[in-house]
Amino acid sequence: MHPSGAQLSDADTDMNFHTPLTIALSKGRIFKDTLPLLKAAGIEPVDDPDTTRKLILDTNHDNVKLVLIRATDVPTYVQWGAADLGVTGKDTLMEHGGDGLYEPLDLQIAKCGMWVAGFPDADLAARRLRIATKYVRAARDHFAAKGQQVEIIKLYGSMELAPIVGLSDLIVDLVETGNTLKANGLVTLEHMHDISSRLVVNKASWKMKHATLSELVEELRSVVEKG
Ligand code: AMP
C-alpha cells in the first residue's frame, strides 16, 4: 500500500519491470528531487521515505527496489553493481572518477555551482595558496590546469570556516544562493563547474539489462525534457 492510501500496481504505468532493478539514492535534497521524476516514470516507494528507517525500500513494482545510502557512496554502489543505477551529484561523480559507470542523463535537479571562494581581497595569483575543500580531485585538477601549485587541505564539511580561522587562503565549495558564503564574509571568486544530479548506470547492468534500463532512461529523459 502506498502512503497516500492508493493501491498502486504495474498496471498503473506504461513500463513493466520484468528485470530486477536496484536504484541507489541518497536521503535529502537528491531524494526529494528524484522522487517526482521516478513517479512520473511509474516508480513509487511503498514505504513512506520520510518516516521509514529501512535502508531498502520496496516500490509499487515487485522487481524494483530503492536503496538509501550516503551521497558519496552512490557511485561506489553502482560501480560495483550493488545497485544497477543511481542518482548522484556531478560533484560527487567527479571525486569518484566515474570508473565502471555510464552517465546517460543529466536530471537537471539539485543545481548549483562549484566555485573557488574566499575573502573579497584574496589574491588568487599568490604562490602556494592553501585550498580547503571536500572536493580534492576537482580542486587539484582546476589549479593544475591553470599551472598553479597549491596545497589542498581535505575537509568533510563547514569549508567556510577555514579562511576565517586561517586554515586556508581559499575554499572550493558548492554555491547555490551564496547565502552561506555571505553569512561568513566570503565571496565567490572563480567559477569551476556547473553542478546538477546525474543518472549513473553500472556498465555491466547496462549490457545485461539493456532493454529495461534503456527504456527507463528514455522515460526519465522525456520527463526531464518536459520540465
Ligand atoms: P547556499 O548558501 O545556497 O549558497 O548553499 C551553500 C551550501 O549548501 C554549501 O554548504 C553547499 O555545500 C551546499 N549545497 C548547495 N547546493 C548544493 C547541492 N546541489 N548539493 C549539495 N550541497 C549543496
Side-chain angles (χ1 to χ4, degrees), residues 100-121:
L101 306 174
Y102 288 124
E103 187 195 317
L105 185 59
D106 181 346
L107 294 170
Q108 309 274 353
I109 55 174
K111 284 186 176 184
C112 60
M114 187 180 286
W115 288 80
V116 179
F119 288 117
D121 61 354

Side-chain angles (χ1 to χ4, degrees), residues 62-219:
D62 288 345
N63 262 341
V64 183
K65 308 279 180 213
L66 307 181
V67 290
L68 295 183
I69 52 183
R70 239 187 116 104
T72 44
D73 289 335
V74 168
T76 308
Y77 271 65
V78 177
Q79 170 187 10
W80 291 97
D84 300 294
L85 68 163
V87 176
T88 184
K90 184 69 181 171
D91 51 319
T92 305
L93 206 47
M94 285 191 299
E95 288 307 301
H96 171 271
D99 278 357
L101 306 174
Y102 288 124
E103 187 195 317
L105 185 59
D106 181 346
L107 294 170
Q108 309 274 353
I109 55 174
K111 284 186 176 184
C112 60
M114 187 180 286
W115 288 80
V116 179
F119 288 117
D121 61 354
D123 178 7
L124 264 88
R127 296 168 126 254
R128 276 272 175 212
L129 284 167
R130 276 187 292 157
I131 319 288
T133 188
K134 194 154 83 171
Y135 304 106
V136 170
R137 193 168 184 160
R140 199 194 308 115
D141 291 352
H142 176 74
F143 287 98
K146 299 203 302 168
Q148 214 174 339
Q149 277 216 352
V150 296
E151 237 174 308
I152 311 276
I153 301 171
K154 165 91 183 180
L155 292 180
Y156 292 87
S158 304
M159 266 82 84
E160 299 83 6
L161 189 60
I164 298 170
V165 297
L167 177 60
S168 73
D169 302 296
L170 301 170
I171 62 173
V172 163
D173 198 5
L174 301 183
V175 180
E176 191 177 339
T177 61
N179 290 340
T180 310
L181 289 179
K182 198 170 162 201
N184 291 288
L186 306 176
V187 293
T188 53
L189 296 168
E190 209 164 59
H191 180 260
M192 291 170 57
H193 302 281
D194 288 329
I195 302 292
S196 55
S197 292
R198 311 299 165 98
L199 193 72
V200 288
V201 181
N202 172 271
K203 282 188 175 172
S205 298
W206 186 246
K207 289 199 186 81
M208 310 273 291
K209 304 181 177 182
H210 190 75
T212 305
L213 281 170
S214 60
E215 195 185 342
L216 178 57
V217 169
E218 289 322 310
E219 192 81 29

